Amino acid sequence: MPLEEFRTLLARHARPDWTTAIDGVLVSKVDRSDPPAPSMSGMVLAVIAQGAKRLALGDRVYEYGAGQFLVASVDLPVTGQFTQADPAQPALGFGLVLEPSAVAELLLQAGPGDARRAGGGTPSGIAVSDAPPALLDAVVRLLRLLDEPRDRPVLAPLVKREILWRVITSGAGGRRSVSSVSPTAVSATSPGPCAGSARTTHSPSVSRTWHGCPA
C-alpha cells in the first residue's frame, strides 16, 4: 500500500505531546536529528512512514525506515535517535502500545502453525522487519478513525487487535519478538516512557523521552 496517505494522516494528527485521541496510539513528527538519547523502550509496535531511526540495545543496533516496523515486546534500556529528519522532510512515525494480555490471547488463537517462531531459538525482545501491505492498511484505517469520533470508540479496539494479528501472522521478524510477550508482564513489567506517555494525554515527559523510544 502506498505510504502517501499514511504520511498525510500522521502529519495532520501530530501533537506537541505526541499523543492522540485513541488510547495507546502515538504519532511522532520530528524535524531534526538530535544526538542519541537513552530511555526505556516500553512495549510498543512502531511503524515509520518517513525518515529513519536507529535504536541501540547494548552492542546491537536496529535501523529502520519508511515502510518498516519495529516491535519491542520487553521493556529494555535503549538509546535511540532519528537519523533522517529535517524541516523539509520530518520523520513521521506511528506507535501502538502493546497490551500483553491482548497479545497473549491472539498468540493462543493463532496456534502453533501461525505463531511459530521463525527460525526457532529464543525470541528477541526487539525485532525489525518490512511492514506487509495488510499491516500498513490496518494502521492507516486506525489513523483514519482520528477523524471519525463517532466510530472511534467502537472500531478502534477492533483495528488495534487486527494490527497485532497482522504482526503475529505475517511471518515477519516481528512475530518472533511478539511471541516473547507474557501475560504476566501486565503487572510485572514497567510500561516505560513510550507506553506511559500514550496513556496520559498531554504528558510533558513525552518530548523528553521520545527520541529513545522506538517510534
Side-chain angles (χ1 to χ4, degrees):
M1 176 177 179
L3 295 174
E4 183 176 352
E5 184 181 6
F6 189 17
R7 297 187 187 106
T8 299
L9 288 165
L10 290 172
R12 182 161 74 241
H13 292 289
R15 295 176 173 176
D17 65 1
W18 305 46
T19 60
T20 71
I22 300 176
D23 185 48
V25 172
L26 302 171
V27 169
S28 66
K29 181 179 179 181
V30 175
D31 60 8
R32 66 182 186 274
S33 181
D34 287 337
S39 181
M40 297 299 291
S41 68
M43 299 170 62
V44 67
L45 165 69
V47 187
I48 298 294
Q50 183 169 281
K53 183 83 184 275
R54 178 182 295 122
L55 201 72
L57 173 63
D59 58 357
R60 299 189 65 177
V61 176
Y62 302 87
E63 294 183 305
Y64 53 114
Q68 295 183 306
F69 72 91
L70 177 144
V71 177
S73 60
V74 182
D75 193 23
L76 296 168
V78 296
T79 300
Q81 69 173 145
F82 287 95
T83 56
Q84 295 179 20
D86 58 54
Q89 284 195 314
L92 298 169
F94 163 90
L96 177 64
V97 176
L98 299 180
E99 295 291 345
S101 58
V103 174
E105 179 186 353
L106 288 174
L107 286 170
L108 288 174
Q109 291 186 6
D114 288 327
R116 185 180 299 115
R117 296 193 296 268
T122 303
S124 171
I126 294 180
V128 171
S129 184
D130 293 335
L135 174 58
L136 290 175
D137 177 67
V139 169
V140 167
R141 283 187 283 110
L142 182 60
L143 290 171
R144 286 176 187 159
L145 291 174
L146 292 171
D147 296 318
E148 301 171 1
R150 182 182 179 187
D151 298 336
R152 194 163 57 222
V154 174
L155 298 182
L158 302 178
V159 183
K160 287 196 286 186
R161 182 180 174 88
E162 179 187 348
I163 288 170
L164 293 177
W165 180 257
R166 296 300 182 187
V167 173
I168 290 169
T169 61
S170 66
R175 185 175 62 186
R176 262 188 94 180
S177 179
V178 169
S179 66
S180 68
V181 172
S182 166
T184 58
V186 174
S187 59
T189 305
S190 165
C194 298
S197 61
R199 293 190 177 90
T200 307
T201 305
H202 309 306
S203 168
S205 65
V206 178
S207 61
R208 294 197 299 270
T209 62
W210 187 264
H211 279 54
C213 298

